[in-house]
Amino acid sequence: MHEIDPRDFTSHDRDDRRPGLSRGGHGEHAARGPERATDDPRDIAVRHVNLPSGPRREPVRVRGRDYTLNGDQSRVLATVGAFRVVSSHDLEVSFGRAGDHRSADLRHLRENGLIDTVARPGHGDRTVTLTERGRDLLEAQRWPNEGGGGARQAFYAGVRKPRELEHDVQVYRAYREAADRVTSRGGRLHRVVLDYELKREYQRFLQERNRGRADGDGRPDRDDDEIAAWAVDHHLPYFDEQVHLPDVRIEYEDIDGRSREEDVEVTTPHYRGAHAAAVTRSGFSSYGGMSSRVSAGRGSGRGRGGGRDPRLAEEMLS
């Protein structure tokens, strides 16, 4: 579980549509349209953008810059953007040679200024993140009707907190195991929502009455009943006067076509005592990062995450 920190809400995390970006429309990928959902966990992010999908590199133009991408590079780029930071080892497991930090694919993305890679001390791989240029490319290539019904995939650039990098780099791995479990039951995946996005929405709710008020002191005036109702509406647990948020939420439709969520928390050996009890009580699916084990939680509209005391909300940035 993470404490709320104003640095969680940086310019990297904005989900606004950026104006003035040239849309793609080149080659084979221009004729494709976004699918309603996917049963391939590797494609949950790339399905939201209009990028090349074939084996050959095709041109993509953004902000007057020309790039070339093939399908594997498109998938890597979208995946890294959706999860903020992913290890090259996990990319290689998902996408084969294209994810290897020594591969021509990752080198091509890095040399074009779309990704950054940093060695992980004590590991044989590297962490991969988007640059602002890489995020701009994904934002520019969204499908025109992408985001209908509130299912717009967020993309991120840069590392949030270096001290939490080892935790954050395991989120994609936790997602893959949970998503495999969902699709094995016939589920079709829509998008992933990281805790940053849930925090931001919670903050907007808490501060809604303060916006535009010159006499406001920045402290939320929501009472416990209002906060509890917000949590219920967003399928999040509320207990001990806290809304609990998962590390990652998977939005999907089940085999009967009903909208569902699977909420997942990355746990580590230091989760003990009250901390571990809160994780269990929240009913999320927990991923033991150090042991690579997943235990199935209730999922399906339930979630957890670090305890977020609403009284700390005034410390968060809008």
Side-chain angles (χ1 to χ4, degrees):
M1 298 185 186
H2 306 294
E3 295 295 331
I4 290 175
D5 190 312
R7 289 170 294 182
D8 289 343
F9 301 89
T10 67
S11 61
H12 294 243
D13 296 338
R14 292 194 305 269
D15 60 358
D16 54 298
R17 295 185 183 273
R18 298 188 177 190
L21 300 181
S22 302
R23 292 277 170 182
H26 308 281
E28 297 175 359
H29 68 287
R32 292 191 295 111
E35 298 178 3
R36 185 163 178 252
T38 180
D39 56 7
D40 188 337
R42 299 174 300 172
D43 290 340
I44 195 169
V46 76
R47 59 175 291 275
H48 290 267
V49 289
N50 179 16
L51 288 176
S53 59
R56 296 183 179 180
R57 291 179 185 171
E58 300 177 32
V60 178
R61 185 174 179 81
V62 178
R63 290 186 182 272
R65 295 179 181 271
D66 292 315
Y67 304 95
T68 58
L69 297 173
N70 62 30
D72 285 339
Q73 292 162 353
S74 297
R75 295 167 99 187
V76 166
L77 202 65
T79 298
V80 172
F83 289 89
R84 186 185 285 275
V85 57
V86 184
S87 80
S88 60
H89 169 76
D90 291 340
L91 291 173
E92 187 175 5
V93 170
S94 289
F95 306 116
R97 177 68 179 168
D100 189 332
H101 68 86
R102 297 159 297 188
S103 71
D105 290 290
L106 248 59
R107 184 170 64 250
H108 178 74
L109 295 176
R110 186 172 56 247
E111 290 176 348
N112 278 269
L114 299 174
I115 64 170
D116 282 330
T117 63
V118 179
R120 296 175 65 199
H123 300 269
D125 62 349
R126 303 177 74 83
T127 57
V128 185
T129 62
L130 288 191
T131 62
E132 285 291 345
R133 187 184 297 181
R135 184 177 184 274
D136 281 349
L137 187 149
L138 293 177
E139 293 288 350
Q141 301 304 126
R142 290 185 184 275
W143 291 101
N145 60 337
E146 193 266 340
R152 189 171 184 268
Q153 179 62 57
F155 296 114
Y156 304 90
V159 174
R160 181 186 64 158
K161 295 180 181 178
R163 69 179 181 275
E164 295 183 1
L165 188 59
E166 282 306 308
H167 171 276
D168 293 349
V169 82
Q170 296 178 71
V171 171
Y172 177 67
R173 194 176 307 166
Y175 154 77
R176 277 301 312 266
E177 294 212 16
D180 286 342
R181 189 167 60 248
V182 167
T183 55
S184 71
R185 302 193 300 257
R188 290 181 59 78
L189 310 170
H190 283 282
R191 68 164 180 163
V192 292
V193 182
L194 300 189
D195 62 343
Y196 319 117
E197 192 170 353
L198 292 169
K199 289 178 186 177
R200 189 163 48 234
E201 190 168 351
Y202 182 44
Q203 165 68 4
R204 288 181 184 135
F205 159 75
L206 291 171
Q207 295 292 344
E208 184 177 6
R209 295 170 183 167
N210 287 325
R211 299 190 186 283
R213 291 182 54 183
D215 61 341
D217 60 6
R219 297 180 65 86
D221 61 355
R222 301 287 189 177
D223 60 31
D224 288 346
D225 289 341
E226 289 176 302
I227 293 172
W230 182 92
V232 169
D233 187 54
H234 289 77
H235 303 158
L236 293 166
Y238 178 72
F239 55 87
D240 295 338
E241 298 184 341
Q242 297 178 14
V243 176
H244 298 261
L245 308 177
D247 282 324
V248 60
R249 163 170 284 183
I250 305 170
E251 294 183 353
Y252 70 98
E253 61 183 57
D254 65 18
I255 195 169
D256 297 318
R258 295 173 297 184
S259 296
R260 307 294 288 265
E261 298 111 9
E262 180 83 4
D263 290 340
V264 184
E265 166 73 359
V266 174
T267 60
T268 56
H270 72 271
Y271 277 58
R272 298 185 180 94
H275 197 170
V279 170
T280 301
R281 183 177 176 186
S282 295
F284 60 98
S285 298
S286 61
Y287 173 86
M290 299 303 292
S291 61
S292 298
R293 295 178 60 189
V294 172
S295 62
R298 290 194 299 270
S300 304
R302 285 296 182 198
R304 112 44 356 300
R308 269 67 174 185
D309 188 338
R311 291 167 295 186
L312 297 180
E314 63 269 19
E315 300 178 10
M316 299 159 59
L317 298 183
S318 59

